Amino acid sequence: FGKGYDKQIDPAIANIRFNAPGDTQYQTIGDSACGPAAAVTAVKSAFGRGAGDVLNASKFAISGGYKEKDGGTKPDFFKDYFNKQGLNSSMSYNKSEIMNNIKSGRPTVLMGSDSNGVSNKTPYGKNPHYVTVTGMDGRGNAIVQDPESKQDNQLYKINSLLNKSSFGVSVTGRSKFGRSKYGRGLRGGCINEQAYNYFIDHGLSAAAAAGAVGNLMAEAGTDSSGQIKASAVESNGEGVGIVQWS
């Protein structure tokens, strides 16, 4: 936690209450705030940096009346939360439209469920759950961030994923006061992840991308948090940066 995408199961916030007036069941961010967490991930992916956090997104959902009674987050939450973060968005129930948005590189929150439970085909359990697709690899797999999983960048076949998804909310661009990263910047919450996503987006397999990131870590060294040291300097003092080109 703290190095990649935000998670609802982060121990720092997981046990914080997530209830709205009228609820009869005790709920927490860890068990019920997948919507706010998925929204924060989409914003972070769009901006290529940290923006917002799950706790404040959860508070926004409650104060705005977007929490369902004894349930999760209403779909209308996403448009207003994205707008608050400076981003425009589009909601769709059409699988082809959702797929086109994902293939166009638009971070997309999906809501779905699977009666068979979580598997290598979908990240969904039997109850409705939100996840975020932050891109696709070179083999037609959707790159999924699941707020209930410690693992980032899980891969699922896009057709299998959408088959179990009810709708999608895609970030389509910036509003008049936002700065999203389409065609600029990098996708991911930290340097290691941005590098990994860059290689994935340019056709490398997951294993090859991981290997390339490992080589960068060896070349540049890492900081105290394990991130590639972007400010690395070559021993002769000439080359500067991740690969110290000179």
Side-chain angles (χ1 to χ4, degrees), residues 3-5 44 134 145 152-153 187-198 213 227:
K3 295 181 180 180
Y5 288 107
K44 179 174 287 189
T134 54
Q145 316 303 334
D152 287 340
N153 302 314
R187 180 170 58 82
C190 60
I191 292 177
N192 292 0
E193 188 170 15
Q194 288 171 349
Y196 176 86
N197 288 337
Y198 176 87
V213 172
Q227 297 299 303

Side-chain angles (χ1 to χ4, degrees), residues 220 229-246:
K229 192 178 294 182
S231 59
V233 180
E234 198 173 13
S235 58
N236 62 13
E238 295 181 0
V240 179
I242 292 177
V243 292
Q244 298 103 61
W245 279 314
S246 58

Side-chain angles (χ1 to χ4, degrees), residues 6 19 42 49 55 76 85 98 113 118 128 133 159 171 198 204:
D6 298 68
N19 279 116
R49 57 175 172 79
L55 178 58
D76 291 345
Q85 299 297 326
I98 297 171
S113 61
V118 178
V133 180
N159 289 324
V171 174
Y198 176 87
L204 270 67

Side-chain angles (χ1 to χ4, degrees), residues 7 117 139 146 162 167 171:
K7 306 288 186 178
R139 300 183 177 184
D146 183 350
L162 292 181
F167 65 86
V171 174

Side-chain angles (χ1 to χ4, degrees), residues 121-181:
K121 294 183 177 181
T122 78
Y124 302 130
K126 296 180 180 180
N127 296 318
H129 181 52
Y130 289 108
V131 299
T132 308
V133 180
T134 54
M136 293 188 68
D137 70 3
R139 300 183 177 184
N141 296 306
I143 304 171
V144 174
Q145 316 303 334
D146 183 350
E148 284 189 338
S149 172
K150 293 181 179 179
Q151 180 182 349
D152 287 340
N153 302 314
Q154 298 180 68
L155 301 179
Y156 296 94
K157 291 295 184 183
I158 185 67
N159 289 324
S160 297
L161 180 65
L162 292 181
N163 186 49
K164 296 296 183 179
S165 299
S166 301
F167 65 86
V169 185
S170 301
V171 174
T172 56
R174 63 182 180 179
S175 64
K176 62 182 180 180
F177 59 88
R179 282 183 66 191
S180 61
K181 61 90 184 174

